[in-house]
Amino acid sequence: MPAPDDRPAAAPADAAPPPTIPGLLAWRAAHDADRVFLVVDGRDVTFGDLDRLATQVAAGLASWGIGPGDRVAVAAPNGLAWLGLFFGAARLGAALVTLNPRYREQEFRTMLNQSGSRLLLCPAATPEFDFADFFAGFRAEVPTVEHFVFLDPPSPDATFEGASTFDELVAAGAGAAAPAAGPPAAGLETGPDPDDAAVILYTSGTTGRPRGAVLTHASLLASARAQVDHLGWDEHTSTVGSLPLNHVGGLTCGILSLLVAGGTVILQPTFSPGAVLAATAEHRTTVLSGVPTMLLMMLGTLAETPVDTSSLRQVIVGGSILDPSLARQVAATWPDARLINLYGLSESSGAAVLSAPDDDLDTVSRSIGVVIGGFEWRAVDPSGEPVAPGSAGELQLRGACVASGYWDMPEETAETFLAGGWLATGDVVEAEPDGHLAVRARKKEMYIQGGFNVYPADVEAVLAAHPSVALAAGFGVPDPVYGEVGAYVVVPRPGAEADPDELRAWCAERLADYKVPRHVVVASDVPLTPAGKVAKAELRRRFEDGL
């Protein structure tokens, strides 16, 4: 890719980083131009390299008629082109619509049309799907998309006409890019404001209509900076970036947090337990992150194929409740690393709660930690009134990390983004006297059995503590006597056999009788959302179909 030297003039050494994403990248390029920020496909990418690429992409977008406030979409694996479009669009003042490359007809139609995206970046083809062939016949279904940009040229047999490649987008901006220390490129004179939309991130949509959370420059950086400050990250921090960039776990908790810290990300296109462990060993990274299912897979791989991961100093688990048995396994495998819970959601732009620095293993196992970054929290009952200390209530957050709402969905925005700046998370928590929060369940996952409220997370934790169980996921199903009863799907540990009757007896010894599962089904795996969480709606459908 062409890369003329178009970095801005160096800022004073004591100047604070600007409050926007392109401003922060330019600041890093001015101060640490030659320091490696990314390792992508074996190639070192410095802060200066990425800033030059962002400048060229922004200029290329402008030359194609994309302007401030427009939306451009990406449905691609993690990679340099993904980040080039993100930072380039951010510099221009456009918002990036982050889509999963596993999406197909329904998701593309809904999200591209609802966001009004004018450009889409995606692969021409993967071993699983021919994007060029698909969009050749689908483009009329997404009429706002004027520019289809592929990572590589489509095959000669493709029928798609009028497409471009990412290299052509970069080349279009190379001639318009600003010279070193000169004025901004045409169309880039002002740049975005901190409260402008930087990302539109659609929630998983496992239940109901997908909602595009509008994450601003300010909200994304507020979460990233709070995470960095709380965890003590700096230029010596490094991690393998395998979480998908189309989710805040990959984008905010990974890329933007390391940009704030000045550290390094070994970027991988997708998650593979063996590849993550190999990269950790090769690059001696200091932080390992993943959702519980990822950590379970990595622990199994490490047991079969040991590699040296002794460089790790922090192991971060997010996206789902951490059961105590997994916490013990992580602590035993990486005794020199601190285990950390991370809680956040799309609407909080990333992390909002993290384990405290002095939390022991028991505390990490039972709580998600403390609210970070000076953000505020409260737990409320169904009427919106704060609950008494020690009682369960819906967690609500307030602070600079909160997104500005859902894109063009005022009713849904009003349901979640409440008066006074409060964000309704939909998660039920109990607070300990010292401020630690313990998640009991998703509010909408609760079911009522015989008049008693049951939160599946309570039962899932007990099932996951059984020696034969690697993962458990449950939900309520209709019952003619009790109204609803619990149905739970368990995945056995490698080499183990899980017996449903034994598991029900295990629960009966440890839970109130109304919480004991009426249905326990053993399965080889469970469906996951793009963010790596259990897709409960799909799991329920499989259960109803007999798995």
Side-chain angles (χ1 to χ4, degrees):
M1 300 174 187
D5 188 0
D6 51 20
R7 289 194 303 273
D14 58 351
T20 66
I21 289 166
L24 175 59
L25 177 59
W27 185 87
R28 276 287 170 210
H31 288 79
D32 303 302
D34 298 324
R35 179 130 50 87
V36 173
F37 176 43
L38 305 169
V39 178
V40 187
D41 296 327
R43 170 190 169 190
D44 291 346
V45 179
T46 67
F47 289 108
D49 293 333
L50 185 57
D51 186 55
R52 284 189 288 272
L53 177 61
T55 300
Q56 292 169 356
V57 170
L61 292 171
S63 73
W64 288 3
I66 305 295
D70 284 334
R71 279 78 61 204
V72 297
V74 58
N78 295 355
L80 188 57
W82 201 110
L83 292 173
L85 185 63
F86 168 62
F87 284 105
R91 177 165 181 180
L92 184 61
L96 186 70
V97 180
T98 62
L99 307 178
N100 193 291
R102 295 169 64 181
Y103 287 161
R104 294 297 181 260
E105 181 174 323
Q106 179 177 335
E107 294 96 342
F108 283 130
R109 179 187 292 110
T110 298
M111 298 175 188
L112 290 172
N113 287 329
Q114 202 275 333
S115 64
S117 296
R118 296 185 59 196
L119 177 148
L120 172 65
L121 172 69
C122 64
T126 67
E128 298 80 24
F129 193 66
D130 190 323
F131 285 86
D133 183 65
F134 169 75
F135 280 112
F138 194 71
R139 58 200 308 177
E141 300 286 330
V142 287
T144 65
V145 181
E146 305 164 30
H147 305 278
F148 289 86
V149 183
F150 296 120
L151 297 178
D152 298 298
S155 70
D157 297 331
T159 59
F160 199 103
E161 296 181 0
S164 304
T165 66
F166 183 72
D167 284 349
E168 290 171 339
L169 173 62
V170 175
L188 308 180
E189 287 83 0
T190 58
D193 292 326
D195 292 332
D196 286 345
V199 167
I200 298 176
L201 193 160
Y202 282 87
T203 56
S204 60
T206 54
T207 57
R209 188 159 61 117
R211 305 176 179 193
V214 180
L215 313 185
T216 67
H217 293 258
S219 70
L220 286 162
L221 291 180
S223 176
R225 287 182 173 130
Q227 177 179 327
V228 169
D229 291 344
H230 186 83
L231 297 178
W233 287 5
D234 58 20
E235 67 272 17
H236 303 296
T237 303
S238 57
T239 190
V240 178
S242 63
L243 290 166
L245 293 177
N246 62 284
H247 188 265
V248 291
L251 183 58
T252 312
C253 303
I255 295 296
L256 291 179
S257 292
L258 269 296
L259 178 62
V260 168
T264 305
V265 180
I266 316 303
L267 192 64
Q268 296 194 330
T270 57
F271 171 74
S272 162
V276 170
L277 293 168
T280 298
E282 177 184 355
H283 296 276
R284 305 295 294 166
T285 54
T286 62
V287 177
L288 179 68
S289 300
V291 300
T293 50
M294 291 178 174
L295 289 179
L296 281 167
M297 293 171 69
M298 285 188 279
L299 289 169
T301 300
L302 196 61
E304 295 179 358
T305 310
V307 294
D308 182 6
T309 55
S310 60
S311 60
L312 291 173
R313 292 296 174 263
Q314 294 177 341
V315 176
I316 301 175
V317 58
S320 186
I321 296 172
L322 174 66
D323 70 82
S325 64
L326 177 56
R328 290 191 294 270
Q329 289 182 71
V330 171
T333 303
W334 294 293
D336 295 327
R338 183 161 68 92
L339 179 60
I340 299 165
N341 258 320
L342 183 152
Y343 172 89
L345 54 162
S346 301
E347 293 86 347
S348 69
S349 306
V353 182
L354 284 164
S355 298
D358 57 352
D359 282 352
D360 58 19
L361 186 61
D362 178 65
T363 304
V364 174
S365 298
R366 72 170 186 269
S367 79
I368 54 172
V370 296
V371 175
I372 63 173
F375 308 146
E376 300 176 75
W377 72 275
R378 66 184 185 185
V380 301
D381 63 21
S383 68
E385 292 298 317
V387 300
S391 300
E394 181 187 9
L395 174 64
Q396 297 184 352
L397 297 167
R398 181 165 68 179
C401 65
V402 175
S404 63
Y406 296 120
W407 180 261
D408 199 24
M409 300 180 78
E411 293 183 4
E412 289 84 351
T413 294
E415 293 172 357
T416 301
F417 299 86
L418 310 178
W422 290 102
L423 167 67
T425 68
D427 286 315
V428 177
V429 300
E430 288 184 19
E432 299 178 354
D434 62 0
H436 280 73
L437 302 177
V439 173
R440 294 306 178 210
R442 288 289 299 173
K443 179 181 176 183
K444 294 180 180 178
E445 288 182 2
M446 184 195 78
Y447 59 91
I448 301 175
Q449 178 170 318
F452 294 97
N453 293 349
V454 181
Y455 296 107
D458 292 340
V459 185
E460 290 166 352
V462 171
L463 286 167
H466 190 279
S468 70
V469 175
L471 180 70
F475 40 83
V477 296
D479 183 82
V481 177
Y482 295 98
E484 290 178 294
V485 295
Y488 292 80
V489 178
V490 299
V491 177
R493 294 185 185 277
E497 293 186 5
D499 177 76
D501 291 335
E502 180 182 339
L503 292 174
R504 281 193 290 269
W506 171 272
C507 290
E509 295 175 0
R510 293 163 174 81
L511 292 169
D513 57 359
Y514 65 87
K515 294 183 180 181
V516 176
R518 294 301 176 98
H519 307 282
V520 176
V521 178
V522 179
S524 59
D525 60 14
V526 294
L528 303 177
T529 69
K533 302 179 184 180
V534 176
K536 291 279 182 92
E538 171 63 15
L539 186 63
R540 180 193 298 272
R541 186 192 66 76
R542 292 187 186 182
F543 173 83
E544 293 171 348
D545 291 343
L547 288 174

